[in-house]
Amino acid sequence: MVLQQDLTQKQYLFARQMATHQEVVSAEQALKDAMQRIKTLQKMSSNQPIQTIVATEAALVMTVPVSVGSMVAPGGALLTLSARQALLLRFGIEPENAALIEPGTLIRFRSVFAAQGAQMARVMRVDGQINPATRLLDVIAKPDASPKSSPEALIAGTTLEGQIALPAQQGLTVPTEAVVLNSGAPLVFKIQSKSVTTPHPMAQAVPVRVRLRVGDATLIEPLVAGALEAGDALVIQGQYALQDGMAVRLVPAS
């Protein structure tokens, strides 16, 4: 017992004038109180039969909020269980992509540690609040119960990666860094080639609508038809300091 060891140590130190008499008395009292508590608990449980609690189904033990010797109040929790079939998955998406995802959307996912063994899940909901830890919107999905999927193989806390099957979108794919916000409205700066009237290349602001953003690529649509076409050069450096009609300098790609 820890308290018995503590008392023995205090007595040893006291004999060598390395501990005070009060420290020895306190250790003796702590041991006495602990022994009295054990006797009380033994007396209370002496007439109680041993009970075995059996789970109604196979489940995962999530938490154990009690310890050996704890006094549990009536109705208190001994274990927190989670049925494997009730496991939910959490994925993160960019906030601007939330409108593209609806309940029932399919997600193909797998563990980041497994090269194969992809499974399917369906979106249950998209949270309406940014996750402060990831700065993304959480998508909650339920694993598919089809024969090809195996919810029983999932382990709570496993890191997953998923691919969400989104409806087809049409637009122009541009580097994400080319899209800037002007008073909250997205736009890109198209480079107008120099001409007789403009001896230097100029930046033309083109308001756009962001359709989809995935990492370094963003799918956009110009608000004015024909204002931006495939092959147009865009500003991707120093764009936050630009204004419509400002001269720009072309730098070869490194």
Side-chain angles (χ1 to χ4, degrees), residues 108-109 116-121 143-154:
R108 183 181 179 88
F109 72 93
Q116 299 179 348
Q119 301 183 47
M120 302 300 294
D144 196 345
S146 65
K148 294 183 179 181
S149 298
S150 178
E152 291 77 9
L154 296 174

Side-chain angles (χ1 to χ4, degrees), residues 187-211:
L187 58 83
V188 297
F189 284 101
K190 181 175 70 172
I191 299 176
Q192 292 277 40
S193 301
K194 60 182 179 179
S195 63
V196 177
T197 57
T198 56
H200 301 285
M202 296 178 58
Q204 178 186 358
V206 180
V208 297
R209 179 182 295 108
V210 175
R211 291 293 190 184

